Amino acid sequence: MRVSRDRQGANKQHKCPPVSRQPRVNHGETEALSASFTLSDRLKIVRLFVFDGATTAFRHISFNPLMFWRLSGPTAEELLIAPQDIQTTDPTLANEFYSGYFSFAGKTANCSGVSPFEIIPPSEAWYRELVEFGWLRHLRASRTEISRVQARVHVDDWIRLDSKPTSRAWNVESAATRVMSWLCHSPLLLEGCEHPFYRRFMKSLTRQERYLRLMYKDAPPGLPRLKAAIALSYASVCIAGYDNQVKSAGKRLSRELENQILPDGGHISRNPEAIIRILALLLPLRQAILTRNFVPEQALIDAIDRMMPMLRFFRMGDGNFAHFNGMGDTPADLIATMLAYDDTAASPVLNAPHSGYQRFQINDTTMVMDTGALPPEGVSSDAHAGCLSFELSCGRDRIVVNCGRPGHRVVGNDGTVWLQLARSTAIHSTLSINDQSSCRFLESERLDRTRGVPVLSGPKNVKADRKSEEGAVTVTASHDGYVPSFGLKHVRTVSLTSDGNVFSGHDSLLTAKDKQVAPGNKNNFQLRFHLHPAVSAFASSSRTIELSLPSGKRWLFSSLNADVGIEDSIALADVFGSKNCKQIVIEGQVGELPQIDWVFQRLS
C-alpha cells in the first residue's frame, strides 16, 4: 500500500514537465506517511479493503462453475424496441475493423485473421472497451451488409470465447454497458440473421440481464451501480415478456438517481464528465419508455431536468467543459446532441452549492471555480486535489485552465504516472504549499484497479460565500486541506466587475484558528495560473505579464505585491494528446505577505 501527497518525499517534480519528459512521481516515504495516519484514515482504509475483498469473494462464490445454474432459466423470445444510441459515430472505423485493426483507449491491435477476443490485449482499458461493445455504433453507422456480418461474427466470438461469468469481462459495469450496447444495436445484429445466431444472442442477453439483477446490490458505488440500474431498466422496456419488471427496475433506478444526482444536478462524484455519461444513457431510456406507452418514474424525469442545466454550467466560452475532478476532453458533438433535448434552452445556473462549484458570467467573460469538499471515498476515484482552482475564458478564448485528466494519447505506457500527476494540486490553477497536494491518495495493488485510486483525505470543511453588488460578483472561499500537514487554511477571494473586464483575486494562508501566519514560517507557497496552449504570454515587468489570445484580444496579468514568473506547463486534456503551454507562477515564503493580490484585466 502507498499513500501519496506528491512531495511528501523529495523526489516528485513540482513544475509541470514538457511533453517530451516523463513526470517523476514520489514512491518513497511510505513508512513515515503510515505513521501519520489518523484514526479516521485507518478506518477508511479498512472499509475500502473490506468492501473490495467482500465484493470479490461474493462474485467468486456466487459464480463458480458449480453455481452457473443461477443464470439458467427461460430464454427471452424477442426484442420489442431498440433505444437510440446518441453517442457520436465514425463510419470510417468500420473499414479499420474489417481490416483487423481495433483501436481503443489509445492502443491499436492488429487482429487480422484472428478474433480480437483471442489475442492478448494491449491494455486493460483496450480490453474493457472491446468487451463493452460500444464500438458497434460505428459499424451500424456504415450501413453496409458487410458491417452487419462483421458485427454478428464478433458478438458470436464473444459468446463462444468469453461468456462465462468468471471472466473479467463480467465486472458489473462492463456487463451493464454491454447489455445496453446490444439492445441499442440489436437491429444491426438481428435483422436478416440466421435463427441459430438469434437464439445464441437472446440466450446470452438473457443470462447477462439475470447476472446484473443478482449482482446489482454488490456493484461498486457510484457510476458502476447506476449503470447497472439503467441497464436493467433498458432490458425491462426492450425485452418481450419483461413488462412485469418495468416497475421494479424503475424503482431501483429511482433509488440510485436520488442517491447520486444532487439537488443542483451535479453527480455525487463531483466529476462533470459523469453528467455527460449519465445523460447519454438516460435520454434514450426516457424516450424508449414513452415509446412503449409506459409512464417514466418521476425520479427519472426530475434527474434529467436537474442535470440538463449543468451541461451549460460547466461550459466555458468555447463550448468545452472546465477541467475539474476527472474531466478530460469534451465530447462536443455529444453535448450538442443532448442540448437539443433541452426545450427550455435556459441560461446556466450560476451557483451550484451542492456540487461545490461557482460560475461567473458577465458579457463574454466566464469563470468557473471549484468550491467543494471531497466526495465520499467510495466515489472519489476521479477526484482531484484542485480545491479553489478556477478556469477563465473571454469569448471563445480560454485564458486560465486546469491541465485536466489526460486522454489515452497522453497516458501511453505510463498511464498511472500521468493520471497521478493530473490529480495533483500543482496541475491546477490554485495555491499549494511545499509543492504538496491538498489531498492524500491511497494506492494499493490489492485494491481493484478498475475502480481507480480513491482519495484518503483532503479538504472537508470548504466554505463559500457569494455576493453581488451593482452588477459585480464576488466569491470568498476557503478550505482546510492543508490543516493536517501544516496547520494552514487557504482562503481565496475572486471578483468580476460589472462589465466583465477585470477579474481580480486575493490568496492568503491563515492558521487553523483563522489568524495571520507569523513571519518566519519555514514553509513555501506556490501560486499557479495555467494558461491555455493558445495563449501567448510575455513579461512586461517583474510583476506584469501580457497575454495575447487567438482572437487578437489582449489581457494583462498583474501581481500587486509579489514578483511573477512564466514557466513551462502541459495541457493534458487535449483531444489530440498533450500540448505544451505556459503557467504564471508566484512563489514565496508563508507569512511574508498577509495576502497575494493579483488581477486579470482586459486591454482595449
Side-chain angles (χ1 to χ4, degrees):
M1 180 179 65
R2 182 169 71 255
V3 178
S4 66
R5 195 192 281 269
D6 300 328
R7 281 188 61 126
Q8 294 284 6
N11 58 342
K12 177 154 181 122
Q13 180 177 351
H14 77 274
K15 294 184 171 74
C16 300
V19 179
S20 59
R21 289 163 53 194
Q22 292 291 322
R24 288 181 285 167
V25 178
N26 177 32
H27 297 292
E29 304 269 351
T30 304
E31 294 181 2
L33 284 172
S34 298
S36 68
F37 287 164
T38 65
L39 177 60
S40 176
D41 292 340
R42 295 178 186 278
L43 289 175
K44 287 182 181 179
I45 293 172
V46 170
R47 282 201 303 269
L48 287 167
F49 276 95
V50 168
F51 177 81
D52 185 80
T55 302
T56 303
F58 177 79
R59 182 165 174 264
H60 284 297
I61 292 173
S62 300
F63 294 102
N64 66 69
L66 298 178
M67 300 186 71
F68 284 169
W69 60 268
R70 300 186 69 189
L71 301 182
S72 61
T75 297
E77 293 297 326
E78 62 177 332
L79 300 180
L80 302 175
I81 190 173
Q84 181 184 9
D85 187 344
I86 65 174
Q87 298 190 67
T88 305
T89 60
D90 184 359
T92 62
L93 291 177
N95 294 328
E96 295 185 16
F97 297 154
Y98 181 72
S99 301
Y101 290 93
F102 288 79
S103 298
F104 307 125
K107 300 287 186 180
T108 300
N110 184 357
C111 308
S112 182
V114 182
S115 170
F117 303 101
E118 293 181 303
I119 69 169
I120 298 175
S123 72
E124 188 64 26
W126 183 95
Y127 175 76
R128 190 163 56 249
E129 287 198 29
L130 174 71
V131 298
E132 288 177 353
F133 285 92
W135 46 273
L136 287 175
R137 65 181 183 273
H138 305 303
L139 290 174
R140 189 177 183 184
S142 70
R143 300 178 181 275
T144 62
E145 183 59 32
I146 195 170
S147 293
R148 290 181 180 276
V149 174
Q150 188 180 15
R152 291 174 196 144
V153 168
H154 292 315
V155 168
D156 221 12
D157 283 345
W158 183 85
I159 294 172
R160 176 174 55 89
L161 299 169
D162 212 9
S163 61
K164 291 185 178 180
T166 51
S167 163
R168 67 185 192 274
W170 282 68
N171 73 74
V172 173
E173 186 171 12
S174 292
T177 306
R178 184 168 53 248
V179 166
M180 289 185 283
S181 297
W182 283 17
L183 289 171
C184 288
H185 302 292
S186 55
L188 169 74
L189 297 166
L190 300 182
E191 287 181 4
C193 73
E194 296 181 355
H195 186 69
F197 171 79
Y198 185 94
R199 296 301 301 166
R200 288 193 297 272
F201 175 86
M202 294 301 298
K203 180 179 180 180
S204 179
L205 182 64
T206 305
R207 294 177 76 239
Q208 292 178 70
E209 188 273 341
R210 289 197 185 103
Y211 172 84
L212 289 177
R213 270 190 283 141
L214 289 169
M215 293 297 294
Y216 157 75
K217 289 185 178 180
D218 295 282
L223 274 178
R225 189 175 298 171
L226 179 56
K227 289 176 74 172
I230 296 173
L232 289 169
S233 285
Y234 268 64
S236 69
V237 173
C238 298
I239 300 177
Y242 279 38
D243 290 5
N244 60 338
Q245 296 185 23
V246 171
K247 199 70 176 177
S248 60
K251 292 187 178 300
R252 183 188 298 114
L253 176 57
S254 295
R255 285 196 302 270
E256 286 304 318
L257 291 174
E258 290 168 355
N259 291 335
Q260 296 194 35
I261 307 304
L262 302 172
D264 55 23
H267 186 252
I268 192 173
S269 68
R270 302 193 63 237
N271 183 355
E273 187 179 21
I275 302 169
I276 303 173
R277 294 167 64 184
I278 295 169
L279 276 174
L281 300 175
L282 292 185
L283 290 172
L285 173 62
R286 181 182 64 177
Q287 188 60 42
I289 292 174
L290 293 173
T291 301
R292 288 288 318 277
N293 293 320
F294 294 127
V295 178
E297 294 286 333
Q298 190 61 42
L300 171 62
I301 298 173
D302 292 344
I304 293 175
D305 289 344
R306 295 199 307 273
M307 295 172 73
M308 291 298 288
M310 293 299 285
L311 290 178
R312 291 184 167 87
F313 180 94
F314 286 109
R315 294 181 88 195
M316 302 303 292
D318 61 352
N320 290 314
F321 268 37
H323 299 134
F324 296 108
N325 292 303
M327 185 66 209
D329 174 56
T330 302
D333 293 343
L334 176 58
I335 290 178
T337 300
M338 291 190 294
L339 287 175
Y341 284 81
D342 187 5
D343 298 330
T344 63
S347 299
V349 295
L350 300 177
N351 185 1
H354 301 280
S355 299
Y357 294 99
Q358 295 285 331
R359 179 185 175 93
F360 294 175
Q361 187 170 9
I362 299 179
N363 293 332
D364 64 346
T365 302
T366 303
M367 191 281 305
V368 180
M369 182 176 176
D370 181 349
T371 57
L374 283 178
E377 63 262 23
V379 292
S380 65
S381 60
D382 290 328
H384 287 193
C387 192
L388 305 194
S389 64
F390 69 87
E391 295 205 0
L392 177 70
S393 68
C394 175
R396 294 189 59 82
D397 296 322
R398 301 281 282 273
I399 304 175
V400 178
V401 297
N402 296 316
C403 296
R405 186 183 190 276
H408 295 300
R409 289 182 175 86
V410 177
V411 169
N413 295 321
D414 203 7
T416 302
V417 175
W418 282 109
L419 291 171
Q420 182 179 341
L421 178 71
R423 300 176 75 183
S424 66
T425 300
I427 289 294
H428 297 78
S429 293
T430 187
L431 180 145
S432 60
I433 301 177
N434 290 352
D435 291 313
Q436 292 189 20
S437 285
S438 58
C439 293
R440 181 180 288 182
F441 303 99
L442 175 65
E443 300 182 43
S444 172
E445 296 299 329
R446 291 173 58 190
L447 287 176
D448 185 349
R449 304 300 292 181
T450 63
R451 298 178 202 161
V453 177
V455 177
L456 183 60
S457 62
K460 297 179 181 178
N461 185 16
V462 182
K463 299 178 180 179
D465 179 50
R466 183 186 181 105
K467 295 180 180 179
S468 298
E469 186 175 351
E470 297 181 354
V473 187
T474 300
V475 167
T476 299
S478 64
H479 78 79
D480 61 351
Y482 288 115
V483 169
S485 299
F486 304 106
L488 299 173
K489 295 171 64 175
H490 177 203
V491 181
R492 165 168 277 183
T493 298
V494 294
S495 301
L496 184 62
T497 56
S498 58
D499 57 7
N501 290 335
V502 179
F503 178 68
S504 59
H506 317 281
D507 285 281
S508 59
L509 290 166
L510 303 177
T511 67
K513 296 183 178 181
D514 294 326
K515 298 183 180 296
Q516 288 191 355
V517 181
N521 190 295
K522 296 182 179 180
N523 297 302
N524 295 319
F525 70 85
Q526 301 80 34
L527 181 58
R528 293 180 171 87
F529 305 92
H530 296 272
L531 302 176
H532 188 271
V535 175
S536 300
F538 65 93
S540 54
S541 74
S542 62
R543 293 188 177 182
T544 58
I545 295 176
E546 292 191 30
L547 307 175
S548 297
L549 312 185
S551 63
K553 299 173 184 176
R554 294 187 305 130
W555 284 65
L556 183 70
F557 174 84
S558 301
S559 172
L560 306 184
N561 56 354
D563 290 345
V564 301
I566 301 175
E567 298 180 1
D568 290 333
S569 181
I570 183 172
L572 297 171
D574 191 88
V575 63
F576 298 111
S578 61
K579 285 188 175 181
N580 290 332
C581 59
K582 298 295 182 182
Q583 60 176 321
I584 299 171
V585 182
I586 301 175
E587 298 182 276
Q589 190 171 354
V590 175
E592 67 179 6
L593 289 174
Q595 68 180 24
I596 305 98
D597 302 319
W598 48 266
V599 60
F600 287 87
Q601 183 173 4
R602 189 198 307 247
L603 299 177
S604 59

